[in-house]
Every structure is written in structure tokens, then in C-alpha cells.
Amino acid sequence: MDEILGELPQRAREKHSESKKFFAKLKKRPPKNLDYTMQELHEAEFEHIDCLTCANCCKTTGPLFTNADIERIAKHFRVKPSQFIDGYLRVDEENDYVLQSVPCTFLGADNYCSIYDVRPKACREFPHTDRKKFQQITDLTLKNVAICPAAFNIVEKMKKAIKF
């Protein structure tokens, strides 16, 4: 996995303009079966990808925390939301709550998440490749392919599956 992760940013850069052009076409004319296709590609990829061998998302990026996430996680820790914010979060340049630092504070050495059952929505949905109306998040996906080997593979397979 280390070798794959080491090569991933370069591979993503090499495919960036091709993917960007593909996504521009996808936004203009999304196929009727796009959601179904993405769900199939996502499920097929995650049949043989084990996130616990990677956890690159947790090691390199931090999720956005919604107010609902903050409330739920604070309740889990039996603290007030303000205490959770003070202890773990900061406000970024877009005025969103994010982790104070990465790798994620809640990631263990074994790549398990200590708050998995109450993790933020952004973590639960990552890499967002099975999301409905996928064409609306192509900018996010362009970033995620450099972080997540599964997202990279799904996008490459999507380019072959959807012809323009």
C-alpha cells in the first residue's frame, strides 16, 4: 500500500487534465444512469479495497465538521459542544470547523478510528464516489483522486464505462 500511496499524487497529476475534461462533459450532459453506474463502480472497488490498510484520507486531510457532527461527537465524549470545539477543532478560511491538525486525532496506529460509530458525515461518505448526482461534486473528486486509491480507480473505470 505504501508504494501505491507514494505514486498516487503523481498519477493523479498525470490524469488531472483528462479527468477535468471528462468531468466538464459529465456536468453538461450527465447520463441518465450515472447514479447507478457510480454505485456499481463504487461497490465493485470496495469489494477488494480495505480502507484499514490505507487510511490516507485520515492521515493527510481533515473533514469538515457540521454542527450535527459536533453535537453527536461531544455527546459521545460527554462534553459540551464548545469543549469539543476548543479541544479538537479550528475555523478554517471558509469559516468551517475542521481538525486543528492532521493526521486525525482519532486515528489509531492500527488505522482504526476511535470515534468510528459517531464519525463526521464527511468521513462516513468519503470518497463520495457513490453519491447521488455525482456530477455536482466533480471538483471535490478531482482532489480526492490524489488522496484515495479507490477514488482514483473508480474515476479511471468511470471514464471507460461512460463514453461521450
Side-chain angles (χ1 to χ4, degrees):
M1 184 54 75
D2 289 341
E3 186 178 331
I4 292 169
L5 291 176
E7 296 170 355
L8 188 61
Q10 178 62 34
R11 290 180 67 206
R13 274 192 298 278
E14 289 168 0
K15 297 283 188 174
H16 183 80
S17 73
E18 177 186 300
S19 297
K20 196 170 180 176
K21 287 176 189 170
F22 176 81
F23 285 153
K25 290 178 185 175
L26 193 69
K27 279 183 176 181
K28 284 182 186 171
R29 280 195 356 246
K32 289 178 187 167
N33 65 341
L34 179 61
D35 289 347
Y36 177 77
T37 301
M38 292 308 299
Q39 186 72 40
E40 277 190 334
L41 292 171
H42 178 91
E43 287 174 9
E45 186 65 23
F46 282 98
E47 280 180 16
H48 63 271
I49 291 278
D50 179 8
C51 293
L52 292 174
T53 64
C54 180
N56 198 44
C57 52
C58 307
K59 294 173 184 172
T60 62
T61 60
L64 298 179
F65 285 74
T66 65
N67 287 334
D69 294 331
I70 293 166
E71 295 277 341
R72 185 177 59 258
I73 299 166
K75 184 177 179 182
H76 171 78
F77 284 126
R78 294 186 174 100
V79 298
K80 292 181 176 155
S82 60
Q83 291 172 296
F84 175 74
I85 291 167
D86 291 345
Y88 298 98
L89 306 180
R90 66 177 175 84
V91 176
D92 71 3
E93 54 281 345
E94 294 171 7
N95 224 22
D96 292 315
Y97 283 112
V98 295
L99 290 170
Q100 290 175 0
S101 63
V102 290
C104 180
T105 309
F106 307 110
L107 181 67
D110 57 0
N111 286 345
Y112 278 86
C113 174
S114 65
I115 61 165
Y116 189 80
D117 291 337
V118 294
R119 69 195 184 280
K121 181 178 188 248
C123 298
R124 278 183 270 131
E125 294 179 355
F126 192 85
H128 311 286
T129 48
D130 60 346
R131 183 166 150 178
K132 291 195 184 318
K133 298 184 181 176
F134 176 81
Q135 72 276 12
Q136 295 177 347
I137 60 157
T138 56
D139 292 343
L140 177 62
T141 303
L142 278 172
K143 293 176 186 171
N144 290 346
V145 295
I147 297 164
C148 176
F152 181 89
N153 293 341
I154 290 166
V155 168
E156 291 307 303
K157 289 172 185 168
M158 176 178 52
K159 288 189 261 183
K160 291 180 177 115
I162 299 172
K163 303 287 184 213
F164 286 102

